Amino acid sequence: MRGRFGPERGRRLRAALRDPGRAWYITRQTDTYWHLVRDLGAGEYLDWDFSIPAGMPGGYPCPQLVYSRIGVAMATTDEDQVSPYTGSWVTSFVSPTSGYGSRSTTGSISTTSLSLVDGKLTAASVGRRMTIAGAGVGGADLDTNIVAFGGPNTCTVSPAASTQVSGAQVTFWPSHRWSSTAGSTVTWTSPSGTTDVGIVTVLLTNGGLAKVSVDGDATRATLLPTAQQVVDAGTYAASILTTNGGTLQPSDRVLSCYLNGSNYAESKLIATGLTSGVHTVTVTATGYAPVVAGSANRTYVTGFAASQPGLVTPATPGALILTTSRALTQQSALEAVYWWVPPGHPTGDFAGRLHGNEIQLSLTFALDGTPTTIPVGGVVTVPSGSRMVITQVTELRHPHVNAGATKIADVTIVYTLDGEGMTVDTTCTSLITAQLVSGYAAMLPLDSHYDRYTSSALRGPVTSASGDGSQKGAARAWLGALWTSGDRYAMSMELLYPGESTNWWQRSAPGHLFCQDREPSGGTRINKIYASRIGSPATAEPITPGVVLKGGAIYRFKRIAGGAEQALAGI
């Protein structure tokens, strides 16, 4: 491959990873939670969370790109429609929260009487939380609860509406049920014409293991692990298997609801390619807890999902993206960020994005130049040939400058979603004198199964699988790419301002553009491409008021049907 690196190799990589012309979908789950969804073709979508991360340092709310996944769009059936539950199941409810699935419909309300159009209410709907657009004081959205069931289309709510509305958007927020009793089951029957089935569940530190059957076959939920696999992984004890006196066959497919953290809306595709028709899914609590001190054994069920490939998109009412492959499970920034050391403070700190110390002043959406509002529960389609521009204006603070009470910089971030991919363009204008001792013009964090990396400046790919924090493939490059050696997905990052944003690599040594093979954090490891502007305190960059720092990149995503390694390793 000698002689094919540099500008020519970068062009080859760009051509291989371009997938122009596909649609985007912008969905909004709550007031502070959006999804930026890219059509990858073949019924699959890349879904980025654009939200305020929990526990953000500094406490300044500022939506940003965090987790992402690749999955299939499926129309959901929420928990009201699931029956029967047998054994001991407890209903629990969590207020609308980041990532929580929802069902939307339309209805009319006057004080406490609500009428709906879709006929899906049941006695189990009592207690469900909902948001009714325009029914609050002064026409604000009303957050309320169902307190009495009146029929498939009618119910009583509390608190009451302050504004009478007709044909309003009504968003239902789901509850979940849990059981820790071995043998308890929940059974769900899909609509006719179903070929894919999935489940919406809850992952918590008190979660345990369930067996999942499709049409009575405990081996048919092939997108879930087997009982043998969770034993081999060390998550559950070998004693759960029938060969060791347990109740699970090694080939049984299982759902683990355990997570060292919390996720109240984990959507899992469990089986695809089924014969078109009606299918039955049965989830059975096993009573088994993971081999983690202090853990419990709960099986959680929020709802189920079904679809036919190509007939459901993210714009379909009630649709969720059910995960087939994780792209990023650990919070990590994409946007430009810098480490500021103000005068009189020896260490300094990062300011902005996931590091906190940032206040959002405005967030606007424009589709082909026309201002666009996305209501909670709503979705906007960006068709092929169109462009969505999201403009975020913020200000940076610093914990060592007037105890965080004084802004140190003005920031504008422009996200552009079009047929080329996603462009993130950051402008940061300093308002203080300081030293920057670290800083990155752009970043691309992906899960560790994106284990092959190359750039426009390398002769060939390198493997990033050691988890030792090392820098792989460091070079003065303008384009870097990561892909899955054993799968079909690839993503790249092309710098918008290769010279200006890196300060022409004057202070970036030894890193330049590189992939860091990150050490595990909370049990999760990632591979992350960095475009370094300042490499270390030894190469600190002095900053004065009025200095403008430009950063950003074009991010491209590609589903390569024949396999990413086969398509990219030889470029």
Side-chain angles (χ1 to χ4, degrees), residues 39-63:
D39 184 359
L40 297 179
E44 290 189 302
Y45 301 87
L46 174 70
D47 178 6
W48 282 101
D49 294 348
F50 184 65
S51 64
I52 297 175
M56 191 173 177
Y60 301 128
C62 190

Side-chain angles (χ1 to χ4, degrees), residues 504-524:
W504 287 269
W505 308 108
Q506 294 181 78
R507 301 173 182 273
S508 63
H512 304 305
L513 190 80
F514 62 91
C515 175
Q516 186 183 26
D517 201 347
R518 295 276 289 270
E519 302 98 329
S521 174
T524 302

Side-chain angles (χ1 to χ4, degrees), residues 88-104:
S88 176
W89 291 86
V90 179
T91 301
S92 181
F93 183 83
V94 177
S95 298
T97 187
S98 295
Y100 220 49
S102 64
R103 173 170 66 87
S104 295

Side-chain angles (χ1 to χ4, degrees), residues 274-287:
L274 302 173
T275 302
S276 179
V278 175
H279 297 281
T280 300
V281 178
T282 301
V283 179
T284 303
T286 66

